Amino acid sequence: MSILSILEPAAATSARPTVTRLVTGTIPATVGSALLVPLADGRVTDYANFDHGASAPCLESVRASVEAALPSYASVHRGNGYASRITTQWYERARAEVHSFVGARADDQVIFTRQTTDALNLLAHAVPADATVVVFESEHHAALLPWAEERTVRLPAPASAAEAVTAVADALRAAPEGPRLLVVTGASNVTGEIFPIAELAAVAKAHGARICLDAAQLAPHRPVDIAALDVDWVALSGHKLYAPYGAGALIGRADWLNAADPYLYGGGATTSVSGDGVVWANGPARHEGGSPNVIGAIALASACATISRHREAIEQHERSLLARLRTGLAQIAGVTTYSIFGAEADRVGTVCFTLDGLSSTLVSAALSAEYGIGVRDGKFCAHPLVGHLLAEAPEHGTAVRASLGLGTTREHVDRLVNAVRTLAANGLRAEYEDTDHGCQPIEDPRDLHAPRIW
C-alpha cells in the first residue's frame, strides 16, 4: 500500500510544529504493521493482530499529531506562556473534534475521561439518586456494573433486536415514577453484533427515559451520530479508536452532569475557593479536575479526524475481511461460532468461537506460539453474556474472540482460518503448560522477556 505524505504549509512562526498528514486512497496506516514475532519452531513471522477489540494499534496519523504536540506541550488553561496558550488551543480543538465525530448537538458537553469505563462511571456518579437504570446482562462490565444495584433493572440477553426493544419497553413501563436511564452497547464486545440503537432510543423516549450509548466497540467501525440516533450520552475510548494514549470521553447532555458533585475534587473544577466554601465550575471543567491528559485528548481527536476521512474505506475493508473469516470458520468441523441475535445479524469485525477438544486457552496459546496470531480468550469482561452463549456447551467455560481492524490483512484472515483448521484436524504441535505469564509451550525457544525500553 503506497502512502503519500503531505506536509502542511509552514506556519507563520518557525516555533510552530509541522504536522505530517498521511493521505491514502485505501485505509489509514497503523504503527506496528511490520511487527515480526517469533514462533515456537524457531521461525519468525509478521504479527496477525486479531485483538482489536481489546486495544487497537496506534494510527500513524495519531503518532504524527502527538509528536507535533510534544515540543510545545504544557499545562492547559490559565497560562499566558506561549506553550500553554498553544496547548490550550489544541486541547479545546480536540474537544470540538470529538464533538463533531459523534454528531453531538450544539449544547452537548464533551468531558475527557480515561476510557469508556471511566466515562460510564462518571455518568453513574451524575445519575439522580432516584433514577431507575435499565441495562441488559449482555453488556460489558463497564456498562453493567456502575449503577446503584437497588435501582437497576437487569434484563436478560435478548434473542433478537425486536425482543430487545420489547424488553426495554416492558421494563420502562413497569419502572417507578422518576428519572429513568437506559444503558446499551452499540456493538457487542463479544460477538460484534450491532444493537438497534435508534429503535431503543425511540422506545426510551416514549417512556420518558434517557439513553446512554456505550460506543467503545462501535465507533471505530461505524459512524455514531448522537443527534440522528436521539441518544443522550455516548461513551467511547481512545485505545479502541487507534489512539492508545489513555483518553476517552463522555459526550452528551449537560443538566445531570452540572447538577452532580464534581467527579474529581481539585484544581480546575472550581471557580472560587474561600473560607466560606467552594463554587464549582459548570461545563466540562466541573468533572475534569486536576491536570488533564492533554496528549491523550489530542491523540483521540487525531484518530477521530482520520477515521472520519476514511470511514467508507474502513467499513469496506472490515466487511470484506469479516465475511472471509466467518465463511472460513463455518467450513471447519468442530468450530462453533456464537451469536446473540442470529447468524444474519449485522455486526462489526468480531467473531466469538470455540473448538471441540481444545480449551480456549490452548487455542489462543497455540495460535500465538505456532502461527504468530494474536487473539483473546476468556469471558471478555462480559461474564453473564458469555455464560449465556455457552450455556449449551458446558465443556467450554470460555471462548476465543478474533477481532479484526486496520491492523488486519487478508493474509492474516487466511492464516487464522488455516491455523484453526489444522488445530481441528491435527491438534497441537507442542505440549503446553500454565505459567505465571500465561499458557505456553513447555519447550519454548522464544525469548518472551520484555527488557526495559526506557
Side-chain angles (χ1 to χ4, degrees):
M1 179 178 64
S2 64
I3 298 174
L4 176 63
S5 297
I6 301 177
L7 297 182
E8 287 187 330
T13 170
S14 60
R16 295 287 184 92
T18 298
V19 180
T20 301
R21 298 204 181 282
L22 298 169
V23 179
T24 172
T26 53
I27 59 171
T30 57
V31 178
S33 58
L35 176 65
L36 298 178
V37 295
L39 303 180
D41 63 4
R43 294 180 299 135
V44 174
T45 189
D46 68 300
Y47 182 56
N49 186 351
F50 285 91
D51 201 18
H52 288 72
S55 194
C58 185
L59 283 169
E60 288 283 7
S61 58
V62 169
R63 176 165 68 176
S65 295
V66 168
E67 289 178 352
L70 286 175
S72 57
Y73 165 75
S75 187
V76 296
H77 303 137
R78 299 174 304 282
N80 278 325
Y82 172 85
S84 181
R85 293 184 67 169
I86 293 299
T87 304
T88 297
Q89 289 183 56
W90 282 334
Y91 186 64
E92 294 305 329
R93 286 174 182 170
R95 199 187 305 278
E97 189 72 53
V98 174
H99 187 279
S100 174
F101 179 72
V102 297
R105 297 163 291 254
D107 56 352
D108 282 336
Q109 294 184 358
V110 175
I111 301 174
F112 286 119
T113 63
R114 289 176 293 176
Q115 73 294 85
T116 306
T117 301
D118 195 32
L120 292 170
N121 274 269
L122 166 57
L123 182 59
H125 169 81
V127 168
D130 60 342
T132 299
V133 178
V134 176
V135 60
F136 286 104
E137 286 196 339
S138 50
E139 295 290 329
H140 186 282
H141 294 168
L144 183 67
L145 300 179
W147 323 103
E149 186 174 353
E150 67 276 8
R151 302 286 296 182
T152 300
V153 177
R154 286 193 184 180
L155 304 177
S160 67
E163 184 177 304
V165 175
T166 299
V168 167
D170 291 343
L172 292 174
R173 191 178 298 112
E177 292 296 323
R180 300 166 183 184
L181 175 67
L182 169 64
V183 182
V184 65
T185 189
S188 169
N189 80 301
V190 177
T191 68
E193 288 163 278
I194 296 176
F195 274 63
I197 303 305
E199 293 84 350
L200 289 169
V203 77
K205 297 305 170 67
H207 290 86
R210 298 188 181 193
I211 177 171
C212 175
L213 171 62
D214 173 359
Q217 299 290 342
L218 182 64
H221 311 288
R222 301 287 179 86
V224 174
D225 192 316
I226 286 180
L229 292 170
D230 197 20
V231 299
D232 298 278
W233 292 280
V234 163
L236 50 77
S237 287
H239 73 100
K240 312 283 190 187
L241 274 164
Y242 305 93
Y245 285 82
L250 177 68
I251 310 102
R253 301 199 184 277
D255 54 350
W256 285 6
L257 294 164
N258 284 338
D261 288 341
Y263 189 46
L264 296 172
Y265 284 26
T270 67
T271 58
S272 70
V273 180
S274 68
D276 297 326
V278 180
V279 178
W280 299 109
N282 280 330
R286 187 180 187 89
H287 299 293
E288 290 182 354
S291 296
N293 180 4
V294 176
I295 295 300
I298 290 170
L300 176 57
S302 177
C304 289
T306 299
I307 290 170
S308 294
R309 289 195 298 268
H310 297 273
R311 180 67 78 180
E312 184 177 347
I314 291 171
E315 288 191 39
Q316 183 179 357
H317 168 77
E318 293 181 349
R319 287 182 189 276
S320 174
L321 294 185
L322 177 61
R324 191 176 186 86
L325 176 58
R326 294 183 70 201
T327 299
L329 291 177
Q331 297 171 351
I332 302 174
V335 170
T336 302
T337 57
Y338 297 89
S339 177
I340 303 170
F341 298 149
E344 300 306 312
D346 189 18
R347 67 194 68 211
V348 299
T350 297
V351 178
C352 176
F353 69 95
T354 55
L355 178 59
D356 290 349
L358 290 176
S359 71
S360 64
T361 300
L362 281 173
V363 171
S364 176
L367 289 175
S368 176
E370 299 176 20
Y371 302 94
I373 299 169
V375 296
R376 189 153 294 257
D377 67 277
K379 297 184 178 180
F380 322 116
C381 295
H383 293 189
L385 175 57
V386 173
H388 167 76
L389 294 174
L390 300 182
E392 296 183 4
E395 70 278 15
H396 292 291
T398 59
V400 178
R401 183 184 69 187
S403 51
L404 57 85
L406 297 179
T408 313
T409 69
R410 181 168 172 166
E411 185 279 324
H412 293 162
V413 170
D414 292 345
R415 193 195 312 174
L416 174 58
V417 170
N418 290 332
V420 174
R421 183 182 292 113
T422 300
L423 288 172
N426 304 325
L428 306 169
R429 294 175 181 169
E431 288 188 64
Y432 288 77
E433 63 180 348
D434 289 324
T435 73
D436 292 340
H437 305 290
C439 186
Q440 62 188 66
I442 293 176
E443 297 184 8
D444 193 348
R446 296 176 299 164
D447 182 4
L448 300 178
H449 175 69
R452 291 183 181 180
I453 55 177
W454 55 87

